[in-house]
Amino acid sequence: MTEAIGAVEADRALKSKHRKMWALGDYAAVAAQLIPSLGPLLVEACGVRAGTRVLDIAAGTGNAAIPAAATGAEVVAVDLTPELFEAGRRLAAERGAAVDWREGDAEALPFDDATFDTVLSCVGIMFAPHHQAAADELVRVCRPGGTVGVLSWTPEGFIGELFATMKPYAPAPPPGAQPPPLWGRGDHVRELLGDRVTDLDVWTGTLHVDRFVEPTQFRDFFKANYGPTIAVYRGLADDPTRTAALDNALDALAQRHLTASAGGMDWEYLVVTGRRVG
């Protein structure tokens, strides 16, 4: 009994930490300036259309929820970090898109079974620490015959390398927490979904990002705007030597990718879509 209570308290503390992390900086700027095309891409891959009921898990500022609503679908956007909703509501209003914003944990969604026709997540659910719990919820709230779709950064791509680069400078994750880029491996997602989802379509794509010309532009942008990067640097605030080492590591990462893709960076992602069995 005591162990169970301790596990619940530890999970609550972890989720609180995640919420605060994603509220840091300006994720709306990251979504709008770097990845605006990914949400519409996933919405199209899932075949979202007018009249369907859609859930966007770990929706952030609505990168997928807003284009889904623009099709005429009835869209609910759920996220652990409601601080992101203010920017999302503003963007939705500018697009004339109606989105229902709800606070909620991807691993314990506040919805009944089989509520939605389409359940999707664009570089969102991958950051839930317990992958199987999040995948179980994704499938649970989708109706039989409905569509599930997930777009995630791959371990081998730029964002996967970014997290690998920051890892030595960050606190060790708690037991049971899994690396986000695992969602960018097709075999991992297949295992998570199991036989509950059929007709899987699994493919990789590349996002060309031309926002940065010099490595320091990338580093400074992420240090100012991207919650996970900000959190790592805050943990190094009293250690200028390690801070400088992380600066150099991020610069080297950016330089490799800028050199490999003259005129910007190419960021690899994985898309998985399928049909809920039942």
Side-chain angles (χ1 to χ4, degrees), residues 109-116 140-142:
L109 294 170
F111 308 108
D112 292 336
D113 295 357
T115 299
F116 299 93
R140 179 184 67 80
V141 299
C142 185

Side-chain angles (χ1 to χ4, degrees), residues 186-202:
D187 59 343
H188 182 66
V189 181
R190 286 189 179 93
E191 183 177 349
L192 292 174
L193 300 177
D195 59 5
R196 300 169 299 175
V197 177
T198 189
D199 300 331
L200 284 181
D201 188 14
V202 181

Side-chain angles (χ1 to χ4, degrees), residues 15-218:
K15 299 300 174 55
S16 176
K17 180 179 178 181
H18 276 215
R19 171 178 172 171
K20 292 175 182 177
M21 178 183 72
W22 287 107
L24 296 172
D26 187 356
Y27 187 74
V30 176
Q33 297 182 36
L34 303 183
I35 61 169
S37 64
L38 294 187
L41 183 153
L42 181 60
V43 168
E44 181 178 358
C46 290
V48 174
R49 61 189 183 278
T52 56
R53 184 159 168 77
V54 177
L55 176 66
D56 181 8
I57 299 176
T61 55
N63 185 258
I66 294 172
T71 70
E74 182 182 348
V75 179
V76 177
V78 64
D79 200 282
L80 185 68
T81 307
E83 290 87 345
L84 301 175
F85 292 168
E86 180 179 354
R89 291 189 178 100
R90 183 177 67 251
L91 293 168
E94 292 172 358
R95 291 279 302 274
V99 177
D100 180 5
W101 303 88
R102 307 273 191 95
E103 180 179 352
D105 182 352
E107 298 178 7
L109 294 170
F111 308 108
D112 292 336
D113 295 357
T115 299
F116 299 93
D117 301 305
T118 300
V119 183
L120 53 79
S121 184
C122 182
V123 295
I125 198 172
M126 65 180 291
F127 292 102
H130 308 108
H131 294 186
Q132 191 62 64
D136 290 349
E137 285 293 273
L138 181 148
V139 174
R140 179 184 67 80
V141 299
C142 185
R143 67 165 177 80
T147 299
V148 298
V150 182
L151 188 154
S152 309
W153 301 118
T154 67
E156 301 81 11
F158 179 79
I159 298 298
E161 286 195 51
L162 169 64
F163 278 91
T165 299
M166 295 192 298
K167 182 178 179 180
Y169 301 91
Q178 295 174 280
L182 280 179
W183 274 91
R185 284 178 38 188
D187 59 343
H188 182 66
V189 181
R190 286 189 179 93
E191 183 177 349
L192 292 174
L193 300 177
D195 59 5
R196 300 169 299 175
V197 177
T198 189
D199 300 331
L200 284 181
D201 188 14
V202 181
W203 53 277
T204 56
T206 301
L207 174 70
H208 186 69
V209 177
D210 59 7
R211 172 68 169 71
F212 311 111
V213 177
E214 299 291 338
T216 53
Q217 290 179 308
F218 154 75

